[in-house]
C-alpha cells in the first residue's frame, strides 16, 4: 500500500441554491399578465460512498476540499433554475467520519455504504409562487440558501477477517507474504512494517473454498495502548478484525529477547487496555520461527515456520472454518437488527445577545426572512406571517423579550412588539 494514509481531514462544501426570479408576464393582447418568476434550483449535495477501489485516504492529505455545484437561478416565464449536481466522493471501506468535536457522523463499514455529509441549499421561490387573492402583484422572491460547509475528520479502520498481532520482527510480514500475494517489506530488524498490509488468502477449491482478508499490523510493544512505539497509531486497524492471530517469536529468547509467555501477556494486556472486547473474539496463539526455537512453555496453540513452510498450511486450514463461522454469526446478528431513521427536527431557538437584544436561530427562521426586497410591504407582511407560523413570537415571549427589544433573524433586524 504505497503512500498509505489512514487519517485525514475533509472540507465538504455543498452547492448554494439558486435565487427565485421576480418577473412579469408581458405579452401583446394579454391583459394583466401577472407574476411569472421561476424558482431557483437546489444546490448539489456532497456524498461519501465506501468503495473497495479505494485503499487509503491519501487523496485527502494534500487536497481536502470537495465542493458540489450550485443551483441555477430562476427566470421569467416560470422557468426554474437547474439543480446543482451532487458530488460523490469515494472513500475506503471502513472509513469513520467525525465532527471536529469527536462525535461520529457516520461509519461506512460496507461496500456501497453512503452518507450525505453536506446538504445543498434550497432554491428560492420566484414571485409567481407568492400570488394569492390578497396579493395580486408580489414584487419579491426568495433568495438562495447557502449550502452546508464544514470540516470533518476521517479515520480509516481496515476491514480484515484476520489480523496478525505480534511484537516487532515476530514474522508477521513473512507469514502474510507466504499465504497471500501481499509483498510487504521484510528485514531482520524491528519495525520493518510501518504501515498495515492486506492480503487475500484462499482455502479449499474454486467452488467450495473460502477467501478471507488477512491484515499485517505493525508490531506492538508494551505501552502501545498509551501511544508507545507505533501501537497507538495502528491499533485501530485491529478493531474490525473478526479473528485474531497472536504471533509469538519463538526465536526471541535465543537472541536475548522476550520469552513467548511474556510476549503473550504483553500483547493481550495491550489489546485489553485498548478495547477489552477484543479479547472476546476468536483468536489463535501461534508460535512463529519454529525452525529457530520451540514452544517450551506450552503457551502456543500451534507452531509454524514461514521460512520453511512448516505448519503454514495447517494454520490456513484452521482459519478458514473459523472465519466462516464468525461471518455467519455476524450475518445473523445484522439480519435481526432493526434500524430506525428519524429526521432531526430543525426547530427554532432564541438566544439573548445582550441587554434588550435577541437572536433567533434555526434554518427555517433564517429562510423565512430571506426575501429579495424587505422594503416591499408585501414582503414584510410575508415575513411576519412566516415567523408567526414558526412560533417565533411565542418563543420570544417565553424567553422574556419586551416591547422595544432588538431581534435579529438571519440578516434581518427589527424592533420587537408583542402586540404587533
Amino acid at each position: 500500500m504505497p503512500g498509505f494514509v489512514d487519517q485525514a481531514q475533509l472540507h465538504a462544501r455543498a452547492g448554494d441554491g439558486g435565487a427565485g426570479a421576480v418577473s412579469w408576464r408581458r405579452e401583446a393582447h394579454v391583459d394583466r399578465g401577472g407574476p411569472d418568476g421561476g424558482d431557483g434550483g437546489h444546490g448539489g449535495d456532497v456524498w461519501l460512498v465506501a468503495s473497495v477501489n479505494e485503499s487509503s485516504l491519501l487523496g485527502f492529505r494534500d487536497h481536502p476540499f470537495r465542493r458540489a455545484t450550485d443551483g441555477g437561478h430562476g427566470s421569467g416565464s416560470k422557468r426554474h433554475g437547474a439543480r446543482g449536481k451532487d458530488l460523490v466522493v469515494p472513500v475506503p471501506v471502513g472509513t469513520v467520519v467525525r465532527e471536529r468535536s469527536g462525535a461520529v457522523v457516520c461509519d461506512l463499514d460496507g461496500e456501497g455504504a453512503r452518507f450525505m455529509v453536506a446538504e445543498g441549499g434550497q432554491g428560492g421561490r420566484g414571485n409567481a409562487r407568492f400570488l394569492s387573492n390578497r396579493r395580486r402583484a408580489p414584487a419579491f422572491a426568495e433568495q438562495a440558501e447557502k449550502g452546508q460547509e464544514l470540516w470533518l475528520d476521517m479515520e480509516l479502520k481496515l476491514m480484515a477477517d484476520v489480523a496478525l498481532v505480534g511484537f516487532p520482527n515476530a514474522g508477521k510480514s513473512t507469514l502474510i507474504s507466504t499465504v497471500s500475494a501481499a509483498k510487504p517489506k521484510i528485514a531482520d530488524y524491528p519495525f520493518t512494517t510501518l504501515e498495515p498490509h492486506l492480503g487475500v488468502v484462499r482455502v479449499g477449491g474454486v467452488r467450495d473454498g473460502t477467501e478471507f482478508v488477512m491484515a499485517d499490523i505493525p508490531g506492538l510493544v508494551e505501552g502501545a495502548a498509551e501511544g508507545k512505539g507505533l501501537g497507538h497509531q495502528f491499533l485501530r486497524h485491529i478493531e474490525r478484525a473478526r479473528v485474531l492471530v497472536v504471533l509469538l517469536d519463538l526465536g526471541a529468547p535465543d537472541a536475548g529477547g522476550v520469552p513467548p509467555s511474556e510476549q503473550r501477556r504483553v500483547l493481550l494486556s495491550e489489546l485489553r487496555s485498548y478495547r477489552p472486547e477484543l479479547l472476546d473474539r476468536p483468536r489463535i496463539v501461534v508460535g512463529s520461527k519454529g525452525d529457530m526455537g520451540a514452544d517450551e512453555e506450552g503457551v502456543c496453540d500451534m507452531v509454524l515456520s514461514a521460512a520453511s513452510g512448516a505448519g503454514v498450511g495447517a494454520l490456513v486450514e484452521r482459519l478458514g472454518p473459523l472465519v466462516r463461522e464468525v461471518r455467519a454469526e455476524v450475518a445473523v446478528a445484522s439480519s435481526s437488527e432493526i434500524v430506525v431513521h428519524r429526521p432531526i427536527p430543525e426547530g427554532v431557538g432564541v438566544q439573548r445577545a445582550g441587554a434588550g437584544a435577541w437572536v433567533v436561530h434555526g434554518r427555517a427562521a433564517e429562510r423565512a426572512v430571506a426575501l429579495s426586497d424587505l422594503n416591499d410591504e408585501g414582503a414584510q407582511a410575508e415575513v411576519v406571517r412566516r415567523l408567526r407560523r414558526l412560533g417565533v413570537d411565542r418563543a420570544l415571549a417565553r424567553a422574556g423579550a419586551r416591547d422595544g427589544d432588538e431581534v435579529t433573524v438571519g440578516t434581518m433586524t427589527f424592533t420587537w412588539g408583542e402586540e404587533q
Side-chain angles (χ1 to χ4, degrees):
M1 261 186 241
F4 180 82
V5 174
D6 58 2
Q7 287 183 308
Q9 291 184 329
L10 168 68
H11 181 269
R13 173 76 160 85
D16 298 336
V22 177
S23 177
W24 307 94
R25 185 179 180 187
R26 291 291 181 264
E27 298 180 25
H29 312 296
V30 177
D31 186 30
R32 300 177 183 178
D36 68 349
D39 301 340
H42 292 346
D45 306 322
V46 178
W47 292 82
L48 295 184
V49 179
S51 172
V52 294
N53 296 322
E54 300 293 325
S55 59
S56 84
L57 300 173
L58 177 64
F60 298 91
R61 184 178 62 183
D62 299 323
H63 304 283
F65 300 97
R66 301 293 187 275
R67 177 169 182 173
T69 58
D70 298 335
H73 300 311
S75 58
S77 300
K78 297 183 180 179
R79 290 191 294 267
H80 302 322
R83 194 191 192 286
K85 292 183 179 179
D86 293 345
L87 178 64
V88 177
V89 182
V91 295
V93 176
T95 299
V96 179
V97 182
R98 289 185 171 88
E99 297 176 351
R100 304 307 297 273
S101 62
V104 175
V105 175
C106 63
D107 186 352
L108 305 177
D109 59 354
E111 164 69 11
R114 53 192 290 129
F115 189 85
M116 183 175 66
V117 293
E119 184 180 2
Q122 295 185 24
R125 289 180 288 185
N127 66 334
R129 297 286 293 272
F130 297 98
L131 178 65
S132 66
N133 291 331
R134 292 186 177 182
R135 189 188 298 121
R136 305 305 301 170
F140 59 89
E142 278 184 338
Q143 294 293 328
E145 184 181 39
K146 295 291 185 180
Q148 289 183 326
E149 180 178 7
L150 67 165
W151 279 95
L152 298 168
D153 294 323
M154 296 192 299
E155 179 183 71
L156 173 60
K157 299 179 181 179
L158 292 181
M159 304 292 293
D161 297 296
V162 178
L164 301 179
V165 183
F167 272 37
N169 205 30
K172 299 183 297 298
S173 298
T174 303
L175 176 58
I176 196 173
S177 65
T178 302
V179 300
S180 73
K183 301 299 179 185
K185 181 180 179 181
I186 300 174
D188 60 353
Y189 54 84
F191 294 112
T192 305
T193 302
L194 298 178
E195 59 190 35
H197 293 88
L198 296 179
V200 178
V201 183
R202 182 166 188 85
V203 185
V206 176
R207 295 185 177 181
D208 58 350
T210 301
E211 283 189 351
F212 59 87
V213 178
M214 179 179 288
D216 168 20
I217 307 299
L220 303 183
V221 296
E222 190 167 11
E226 285 73 43
K228 186 176 180 181
L230 299 176
H232 184 73
Q233 183 177 359
F234 294 111
L235 270 169
R236 72 174 67 91
H237 297 302
I238 304 176
E239 291 183 31
R240 300 185 190 274
R242 296 184 170 100
V243 178
L244 302 180
V245 173
V246 180
L247 214 59
L248 308 182
D249 185 357
L250 299 181
D254 295 338
V258 182
S261 59
E262 181 63 12
Q263 295 179 43
R264 182 179 183 273
R265 184 197 66 80
V266 171
L267 292 172
L268 296 184
S269 176
E270 291 306 318
L271 294 178
R272 182 185 297 108
S273 298
Y274 182 69
R275 284 189 179 273
E277 62 270 21
L278 289 175
L279 296 186
D280 297 330
R281 299 183 187 177
R283 68 173 179 268
I284 302 175
V285 180
V286 178
S288 70
K289 303 181 183 179
D291 55 331
M292 300 175 60
D295 181 19
E296 299 177 353
E297 300 170 303
V299 297
C300 301
D301 298 322
M302 58 186 305
V303 176
L304 59 79
S305 171
S308 64
V312 174
L315 174 62
V316 173
E317 292 292 336
R318 187 169 176 177
L319 286 173
L322 193 57
V323 169
R324 287 197 300 269
E325 180 181 342
V326 177
R327 283 177 177 173
E329 294 175 357
V330 172
V332 171
S334 60
S335 64
S336 61
E337 292 180 356
I338 299 177
V339 180
V340 179
H341 298 279
R342 296 186 177 92
I344 300 176
E346 295 181 354
V348 174
V350 176
Q351 181 180 358
R352 184 185 292 273
W358 305 85
V359 176
V360 178
H361 299 285
R363 182 178 179 183
E366 293 174 0
R367 184 172 174 81
V369 302
L371 300 180
S372 59
D373 185 6
L374 291 177
N375 293 318
D376 182 85
E377 292 183 0
Q380 294 173 7
E382 177 67 16
V383 167
V384 172
R385 184 187 68 82
R386 289 181 170 191
L387 293 179
R388 281 180 175 169
R389 186 177 59 187
L390 293 172
V392 173
D393 52 346
R394 295 190 300 273
L396 285 168
R398 286 194 300 267
R402 299 181 179 180
D403 289 351
D405 286 356
E406 185 179 85
V407 177
T408 300
V409 185
T411 59
M412 177 182 179
T413 300
F414 59 91
T415 302
W416 165 253
E418 188 172 359
E419 296 181 357
Q420 296 178 359

